[in-house]
């Protein structure tokens, strides 16, 4: 079972930076996968961070991968907590546990910054960026916001 929660659309661009940390309370034992998405107003979403952890019931906390991603004005952050989905793109990830885990509470801590004063560095667009966007862009259903960003 996978649960997705999305935040309210942002009034201005917001950079998510550093190492996000997820704390959760769960029942059951197995593996859980967490993904963060940048969701455009039309529901087009880019997955930009993910992590897997073992759950042994009770409370646990773990870091996601360090990130530096800017959500544009009007975009939302979506958080997916679910099962490991094995495929060729993430063969480094543990095998799905096929166990039922019920998440009863979760908290995501992440640093934000205002990119308004950013100055672009010299150079061309990263060559891999278009490939990454092609691989990790999908459609997410747009629902009512479940949280807000400060």
């Amino acid at each position: 079972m996978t649960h997705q929660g999305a935040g309210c659309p942002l009034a201005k661009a917001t950079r998510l930076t550093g190492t996000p940390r997820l704390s959760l309370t769960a029942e059951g034992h197995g593996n859980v996968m967490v993904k963060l998405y940048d969701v455009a107003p039309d529901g087009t979403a880019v997955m930009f961070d993910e992590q897997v952890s073992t759950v042994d019931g009770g409370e646990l906390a773990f870091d996601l991968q360090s990130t530096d991603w800017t959500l544009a004005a009007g975009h939302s952050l979506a958080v997916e907590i679910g099962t490991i989905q094995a495929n060729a793109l993430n063969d480094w990830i543990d095998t799905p546990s096929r166990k039922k885990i019920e998440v009863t509470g979760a908290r995501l801590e992440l640093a934000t910054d205002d990119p308004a004063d950013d100055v672009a560095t010299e150079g061309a667009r990263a060559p891999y960026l278009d490939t990454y966007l092609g691989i990790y862009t999908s459609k997410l259903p747009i629902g009512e916001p479940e949280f807000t960003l400060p």
Side-chain angles (χ1 to χ4, degrees):
M1 182 72 169
T2 298
H3 177 74
Q4 293 174 339
C8 295
L10 296 168
K12 64 180 185 173
T14 302
R15 178 183 302 113
L16 307 177
T17 187
T19 306
R21 184 161 184 81
L22 184 78
S23 303
L24 59 85
T25 305
E27 296 176 16
H29 304 277
N31 298 326
V32 65
M33 180 172 225
V34 176
K35 295 181 181 182
L36 303 182
Y37 292 88
D38 174 352
V39 185
D42 69 356
T44 302
V46 177
M47 190 278 296
F48 66 91
D49 202 346
E50 67 182 346
Q51 190 58 279
V52 171
S53 181
T54 301
V55 176
D56 289 322
E59 295 180 14
L60 84 133
F62 57 93
D63 293 337
L64 280 72
Q65 298 174 21
S66 295
T67 192
D68 188 12
W69 189 271
T70 299
L71 299 171
H75 285 219
S76 300
L77 173 67
V79 180
E80 178 182 62
I81 301 173
T83 58
I84 295 173
Q85 300 167 5
N87 63 45
L89 296 175
N90 60 12
D91 60 355
W92 60 271
I93 295 176
D94 197 6
T95 305
S97 60
R98 307 215 191 289
K99 303 289 183 177
K100 182 176 180 177
I101 299 169
E102 181 179 352
V103 176
T104 57
R107 177 181 173 83
L108 178 67
E109 298 174 39
L110 66 162
T112 61
D113 190 28
D114 183 353
D117 293 329
D118 286 359
V119 176
T121 57
E122 292 183 32
R125 181 179 170 101
Y128 182 68
L129 182 57
D130 291 325
T131 301
Y132 181 89
L133 293 173
I135 293 170
Y136 291 104
T137 299
S138 60
K139 280 292 218 182
L140 289 181
I142 299 173
E144 289 299 315
E146 295 183 24
F147 59 86
T148 58
L149 290 176

